[in-house]
Amino acid sequence: MMSILVTSMTSSDLDQAVSLICSFEGFRSRPYADVTGTPTVGYGSTYWHGQRVTLTSPESVNEGEAREAVAEEAQRVMTALKSSVRASLAPNQWAALTSFAYNVGLSACLDSTLVRLVNEQQLDKAADQFLLWDKSKGQVIQGLLNRRKAERALFLGNANV
């Protein structure tokens, strides 16, 4: 069983989450369809300035504003997680969970076995749950598998992001 500490948001957990998200999402200045066919721009943003991204809007974004958008969304996601997850977690664990929720969606994350196990303080078992979220339309996606391995490693304190 792992030791657990921090409950308040720190720049460390948010910065780690943003770095992990950006490293796996990759930057695209123009909208594109992601592996699920969802219009996306920047670092995996499906909304831009409150509007749903389409394949034609926004026309383009720059990397600085895209990273800012990720930071704002990651903070929103982390705040929601911290008000819903009952366990006290270390900054690296919040960062990993935030990256996961950013990618799969907050509702899916909160309804997951992963979060249930975190709340039951079964952190090693919870960490293994990351690896089950590696598919799109029933097919294993190597990029998702790589991301889940990185999130799991960060959650377990075995990664520097």
Side-chain angles (χ1 to χ4, degrees):
M1 190 65 133
M2 324 176 115
S3 64
I4 47 175
L5 302 169
V6 180
T7 56
S8 63
M9 191 177 316
T10 67
S11 62
S12 172
D13 45 12
L14 186 59
D15 290 347
Q16 285 183 78
V18 170
S19 291
L20 186 60
I21 291 165
C22 289
S23 73
F24 278 98
E25 293 291 345
F27 173 72
R28 301 263 189 104
S29 63
R30 298 194 182 280
Y32 65 98
D34 70 8
V35 295
T36 67
T38 304
T40 308
V41 72
Y43 288 107
S45 296
T46 57
Y47 283 85
W48 194 256
H49 298 296
Q51 301 294 315
R52 189 91 168 127
V53 172
T54 69
L55 294 179
T56 58
S57 179
E59 190 173 308
S60 70
V61 302
N62 71 47
E63 199 165 351
E65 59 189 356
R67 192 169 179 96
E68 236 177 76
V70 169
E72 288 172 11
E73 180 64 11
Q75 184 162 13
R76 186 190 71 74
V77 167
M78 187 178 286
T79 298
L81 286 170
K82 288 187 176 192
S83 64
S84 298
V85 173
R86 296 181 305 274
S88 295
L89 300 175
N92 58 294
Q93 292 168 319
W94 284 118
L97 199 55
T98 299
S99 173
F100 176 75
Y102 181 94
N103 185 244
V104 304
L106 186 58
S107 294
C109 176
L110 291 175
D111 291 340
S112 70
T113 301
L114 191 161
V115 168
R116 180 180 56 78
L117 291 169
V118 165
N119 281 330
E120 293 172 0
Q121 297 296 318
Q122 296 184 52
L123 300 182
D124 290 332
K125 287 182 181 179
D128 291 339
Q129 290 291 310
F130 284 102
L131 302 177
L132 301 178
W133 292 75
D134 63 352
K135 296 174 188 67
S136 175
K137 299 178 182 173
Q139 298 293 317
V140 173
I141 304 296
Q142 189 62 49
L144 286 177
L145 178 58
N146 294 344
R147 182 179 187 149
R148 299 302 172 241
K149 286 178 178 179
E151 289 165 343
R152 179 183 182 276
L154 180 59
F155 189 84
L156 292 171
N158 299 332
N160 293 322
V161 178

